[in-house]
């Protein structure tokens, strides 16, 4: 630390966690930001699709948020004057090559396939759906044993295969970008509390969702503007080594730099892989997280949507009942989600079973998502105890439920603890989606704006 109190800090990774940590730390300290890719943003990835002579910005990772369950992201967007617009959120399910299709957009969506009314299995699904929403709402406040899996919870509750395979697993698989069998391993307490807090256990009055006008690249550019000259693109870090009271960082180019502190704003497994001589606690806790790899394809091939147009929704799960171990198969209708004119159909499909038709492919990307099994949830309770040990800090969406607000909350808390700075807003329960624990230090109140 220099005599003026400024620290020299490296931030590794430029997803929402790395960008927001660097942005807040930059208010008082000197930051250097490392990014292995040739672009900023991580899962905030806006791609330009050229279709019909138009160039259309389309998000392929982070797409939507709501003001109730994303309070810090909402405050950040307001602070940066990021323009947003309402989005439409709905889910459809198409199973076994269209054998069963329906959507959650009211009676018309449920009856997108009129023959469903004659199927006892469909009525069984609806009965268990109503019962689950009622019982899980009550259980959200009392479930505590994280060793009870969702699969165990469903079996104990007597929920049938129709509800499990035709509704709950497709919905959860689409939300968490995980295969159905991985969803069954989720701790039931975590699953139920998340769905309750996000209003997903309601049939009506769910929170309205929004999307960024112009794509998420708009907020990425505004967030990074104040430290843009200290961002090193295509500079993946290969080694982070504690040396006395400093931390030495080596990147893929062989450049070596010394810092007062390092913030690893990466997936847990990536952080563990670059730390030289990790501690036992780091190996135990960071090593508890597994990740799914999902191939995201931006295209215009309508054959990846439900066969019945009446079932088309914002999120469309297309899969097979008897293939629970297959990767998640979901298609996002970007026209509906981002307010794009439907004359130019645009879709993002995760893990397509076949390539889109020739001439319809716009872009492809691979994203990794944390898998929240019992081991990961147990590790979360102690993750914050790693902070600052040997001047290395950690943040990322794995500190919470794997979403943008979780990554943002962990990053802001790290910046405040490390840098003695304060986020320029106040929201209720500002770190409510992550576990700070007793190791967290007190931070000052926000400065008046």
């Amino acid at each position: 630390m220099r005599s003026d109190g400024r620290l020299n800090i490296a931030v590794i990774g430029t997803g929402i966690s790395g960008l927001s940590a660097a942005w807040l730390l930059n208010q008082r300290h000197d930051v250097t930001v490392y990014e292995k890719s040739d672009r900023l943003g991580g899962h905030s990835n806006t791609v330009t699709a050229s279709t019909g002579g138009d160039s259309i910005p389309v998000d392929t990772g982070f797409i939507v948020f709501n003001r109730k369950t994303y309070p810090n992201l909402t405050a950040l967007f307001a602070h940066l004057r990021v323009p947003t617009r309402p989005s439409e959120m709905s889910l459809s399910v198409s199973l076994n090559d269209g054998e069963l299709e329906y959507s959650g957009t009211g009676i018309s969506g449920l009856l997108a396939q009129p023959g469903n009314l004659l199927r006892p299995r469909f009525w069984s699904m609806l009965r268990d759906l109503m019962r689950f929403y009622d019982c899980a709402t009550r259980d959200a406040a009392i479930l505590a044993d994280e060793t009870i899996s969702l699969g165990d919870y469903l079996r104990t509750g007597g929920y049938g295969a129709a509800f499990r395979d035709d509704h709950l697993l497709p919905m959860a698989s689409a939300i968490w970008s995980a295969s159905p069998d991985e969803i069954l391993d989720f701790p039931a307490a975590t699953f139920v509390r998340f769905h309750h807090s996000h209003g997903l256990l309601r049939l009506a009055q769910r929170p309205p969702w929004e999307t960024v006008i112009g794509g998420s690249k708009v907020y990425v550019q505004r967030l990074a503007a104040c430290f843009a000259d200290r961002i090193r693109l295509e500079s993946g870090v290969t080694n982070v080594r504690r040396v006395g009271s400093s931390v030495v960082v080596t990147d893929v180019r062989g450049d070596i730099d010394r810092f007062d502190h390092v913030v690893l704003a990466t997936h847990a497994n990536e952080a563990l892989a670059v730390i030289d001589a990790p501690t036992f606690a780091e190996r135990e806790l960071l090593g508890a997280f597994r990740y799914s790899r999902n191939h995201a394809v931006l295209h215009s091939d309508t054959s990846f949507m439900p066969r019945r147009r009446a079932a088309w929704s914002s999120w469309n799960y297309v899969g097979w009942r008897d293939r629970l171990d297959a990767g998640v198969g979901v298609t996002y209708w970007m026209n509906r989600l981002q307010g794009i004119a439907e004359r130019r159909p645009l879709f993002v499909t995760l893990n397509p079973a076949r390539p889109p038709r020739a001439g319809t492919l716009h872009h492809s990307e691979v994203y990794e998502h944390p898998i929240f099994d019992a081991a990961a949830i147990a590790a979360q309770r102690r993750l914050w105890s790693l902070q600052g040990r040997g001047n290395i800090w950690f943040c990322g969406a794995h500190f919470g439920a794997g979403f943008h607000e979780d990554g943002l909350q962990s990053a802001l808390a790290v910046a405040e603890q490390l840098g003695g700075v304060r986020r320029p807003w106040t929201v209720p329960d500002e770190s409510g989606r992550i576990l700070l624990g007793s190791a967290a230090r007190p931070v000052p109140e926000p400065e008046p704006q």
Side-chain angles (χ1 to χ4, degrees):
M1 183 184 295
R2 301 199 307 254
S3 59
D4 59 2
R6 295 182 72 86
L7 294 166
N8 187 22
I9 302 171
V11 177
I12 301 172
T14 65
I16 179 64
S17 301
L19 288 177
S20 53
W23 170 76
L24 189 53
L25 286 167
N26 183 68
Q27 313 303 313
R28 188 174 296 175
H29 304 286
D30 299 321
V31 297
T32 299
V33 180
Y34 291 83
E35 170 54 52
K36 64 183 179 182
S37 177
D38 61 356
R39 65 171 181 85
L40 301 176
H43 284 210
S44 295
N45 185 10
T46 306
V47 174
T48 300
S50 298
T51 173
D54 297 330
S55 295
I56 303 171
V58 186
D59 282 323
T60 61
F62 165 74
I63 303 170
V64 293
F65 73 102
N66 71 69
R67 294 174 181 267
K68 180 178 183 295
T69 57
Y70 291 67
N72 285 282
L73 189 65
T74 299
L76 176 66
F77 285 176
H79 184 81
L80 298 175
R81 294 182 172 84
V82 174
T84 65
R85 62 176 296 160
S87 178
E88 195 272 351
M89 287 287 282
S90 55
L91 172 74
S92 78
V93 174
S94 177
L95 296 175
N96 293 16
D97 200 23
E99 177 187 311
L100 170 69
E101 290 189 337
Y102 69 91
S103 78
T105 53
I107 297 299
S108 61
L110 286 175
L111 300 182
Q113 184 178 4
N116 288 340
L117 289 175
L118 304 177
R119 295 178 172 178
R121 181 183 175 100
F122 189 75
W123 287 105
S124 172
M125 180 194 78
L126 293 179
R127 284 193 299 271
D128 275 352
L129 184 152
M130 299 294 291
R131 184 164 65 89
F132 180 83
Y133 282 15
D134 181 48
C135 294
T137 297
R138 297 196 305 268
D139 290 346
I142 61 175
L143 282 173
D145 188 350
E146 300 287 3
T147 65
I148 299 175
S149 70
L150 177 62
D152 293 335
Y153 178 80
L154 295 176
R155 282 189 292 273
T156 302
Y159 295 100
F163 168 68
R164 182 194 65 202
D165 298 342
D166 299 356
H167 178 73
L168 191 66
L169 292 183
M171 177 183 70
S173 185
I175 291 173
W176 265 290
S177 301
S179 65
D181 66 337
E182 290 170 336
I183 296 295
L184 287 173
D185 289 336
F186 276 31
T190 300
F191 184 93
V192 169
R193 283 196 294 267
F194 175 87
H195 279 68
H196 174 68
S197 66
H198 281 68
L200 297 175
L201 299 179
R202 304 177 193 166
L203 292 176
Q205 296 182 326
R206 292 184 174 185
W209 293 79
E210 299 177 47
T211 188
V212 176
I213 297 174
S216 58
K217 68 177 182 181
V218 172
Y219 97 74
V220 168
Q221 292 167 351
R222 296 188 183 186
L223 195 55
C226 61
F227 55 89
D229 59 328
R230 281 156 287 149
I231 297 173
R232 301 180 182 182
L233 294 177
E234 297 182 283
S235 297
V237 168
T238 59
N239 189 266
V240 174
R241 182 163 54 97
R242 300 172 171 100
V243 179
S245 60
S246 302
V247 186
V248 174
V249 174
T250 305
D251 66 18
V252 292
R253 301 173 182 175
D255 292 338
I256 300 174
D257 289 282
R258 184 182 295 263
F259 298 93
D260 297 313
H261 293 264
V262 169
V263 178
L264 283 163
T266 67
H267 295 319
N269 57 345
E270 294 175 331
L272 181 59
V274 300
I275 298 175
D276 189 273
T279 66
F280 174 82
E282 288 167 346
R283 290 195 302 271
E284 178 189 17
L285 300 181
L286 298 175
F289 290 87
R290 297 184 298 122
Y291 288 80
S292 62
R293 288 175 60 85
N294 294 291
H295 182 205
V297 177
L298 173 62
H299 62 90
S300 300
D301 187 347
T302 59
S303 67
F304 284 90
M305 294 290 280
R307 296 177 64 180
R308 296 163 180 85
R309 179 64 184 247
W312 284 23
S313 300
S314 297
W315 296 31
N316 304 270
Y317 181 91
V318 181
W320 298 82
R321 286 195 187 102
D322 57 350
R323 300 180 188 173
L324 297 185
D325 59 344
V328 57
V330 60
T331 293
Y332 305 101
W333 189 9
M334 302 311 300
N335 302 82
R336 183 71 60 87
L337 284 164
Q338 293 194 278
I340 300 169
E342 293 186 13
R343 70 179 183 277
R344 310 291 187 209
L346 289 165
F347 312 100
V348 171
T349 296
L350 294 188
N351 306 313
R354 55 178 171 78
R357 287 197 302 259
T360 65
L361 176 65
H362 299 287
H363 184 78
S364 64
E365 195 86 21
V366 174
Y367 297 109
E368 295 189 354
H369 300 86
I371 298 172
F372 293 101
D373 54 18
I377 296 301
Q380 270 189 347
R381 298 195 190 100
R382 298 165 51 206
L383 264 184
W384 205 260
S385 67
L386 301 179
Q387 303 293 18
R389 305 292 183 182
N391 294 3
I392 296 178
W393 303 72
F394 305 89
C395 56
H398 57 285
F399 276 79
F403 297 93
H404 241 52
E405 178 71 14
D406 305 291
L408 177 58
Q409 286 192 15
S410 69
L412 294 174
V414 162
E416 290 172 342
Q417 300 278 305
L418 164 59
V421 289
R422 189 70 171 97
R423 71 195 77 182
W425 58 74
T426 302
V427 296
D429 202 17
E430 63 183 20
S431 298
R433 291 174 59 137
I434 60 175
L435 297 173
L436 296 183
S438 59
R441 306 172 187 170
V443 295
E445 289 300 313
E447 298 179 1
Q449 297 297 302

